[in-house]
Amino acid sequence: MLFPPPKIDVEPGQPQPIDTRYGLTYEIPADWKNDHGASSGRSGEEGHAVYGSVGSFGYGSCPEKDGGWLAMSGVAGSRDIDLETVATERIRDVEWIFDDNADTRPTVEYAAPVWFEIADRPAVRISARITDIPQVSGCEPDAARFDIVATPGYATAQTMVLMVQVNEGAYDVDVADDIIATLRPS
C-alpha cells in the first residue's frame, strides 16, 4: 500500500482509530487531531525520521515555530526484521532530533527494552526521557518522553514502528501507554 486506508470517523468524544498502511491500527485520544493521511518528519546532519498516519495534540501551540505541537504519534516502516535493532535505531534519533544543530545535545535516559505481544506476535518497546533540551526557538519543551514500538508489519514493510512523543507538562506522558495498548491488526 502506498497510502493508509481511509480515515475512520467516530463520534465526537470517542478515541480515534488510525489505520496504517502496515496492517496495524492504533488509537489516539478524543482530544487529539487525527491526521491519518499526513506525515511528519525531521532531518538533521545525522539522519532523517519520517512518520505517517499521524495523530497530534496542540498543533500550532507555538506561533514562533510553524507546525509546532505538544504531543504526536506516527508510524514508519523498516525492511529490517530484527525488532530490537529497529527500535534501538529509532529511539537513538532523539539525540539529534532534540539537538540545536550546533552539537549541543540533550540529556537522554533510555529505558531497557520491554517485550510484549500484539495479537500473538512479538513487539518491543523502548522509551527515552529527554531533558536539558537546547532552546532554539522558544518552542522547545524543557523535557519530553519519546516511545518507540517495533513489531512485524502485516503489509508494506517487514517491521512497523510506532512513535509517540509527549512534551512533559503539556499532556499526561502516560498517554503513550494508552496509545501503545491499542495497537492491533487492522
Side-chain angles (χ1 to χ4, degrees), residues 13 52 54 153:
V54 172

Side-chain angles (χ1 to χ4, degrees), residues 41-178:
R42 299 178 180 116
S43 61
E45 292 179 13
E46 297 181 43
H48 66 279
V50 178
Y51 295 93
S53 300
V54 172
S56 66
F57 176 80
Y59 181 83
S61 60
C62 184
E64 296 175 40
K65 188 175 184 180
D66 184 35
W69 36 261
L70 303 172
M72 187 180 86
S73 61
V75 298
S78 174
R79 292 179 186 216
D80 193 338
I81 60 172
D82 184 325
L83 301 178
E84 190 167 346
T85 297
V86 171
T88 300
E89 288 173 356
R90 288 306 199 133
I91 199 72
R92 297 272 179 208
D93 288 346
V94 299
E95 294 172 14
W96 61 265
I97 288 173
F98 290 97
D99 75 2
D100 66 357
N101 295 324
D103 286 336
T104 305
R105 300 287 181 154
T107 301
V108 182
E109 298 172 41
Y110 296 101
V114 175
W115 287 90
F116 62 105
E117 290 186 352
I118 298 170
D120 297 325
R121 297 177 82 184
V124 64
R125 174 184 183 174
I126 303 179
S127 302
R129 183 168 186 265
I130 304 98
T131 57
D132 303 321
I133 297 170
Q135 300 298 303
V136 178
S137 69
C139 295
E140 289 75 21
D142 293 328
R145 179 169 153 185
F146 200 88
D147 288 273
I148 293 289
V149 173
T151 191
Y154 287 87
T156 311
Q158 297 293 97
T159 299
M160 186 202 82
V161 177
L162 172 68
M163 177 278 303
V164 181
Q165 178 190 331
V166 181
N167 295 348
E168 288 186 11
Y171 204 93
D172 181 1
V173 294
D174 291 336
V175 72
D177 299 335
D178 299 336

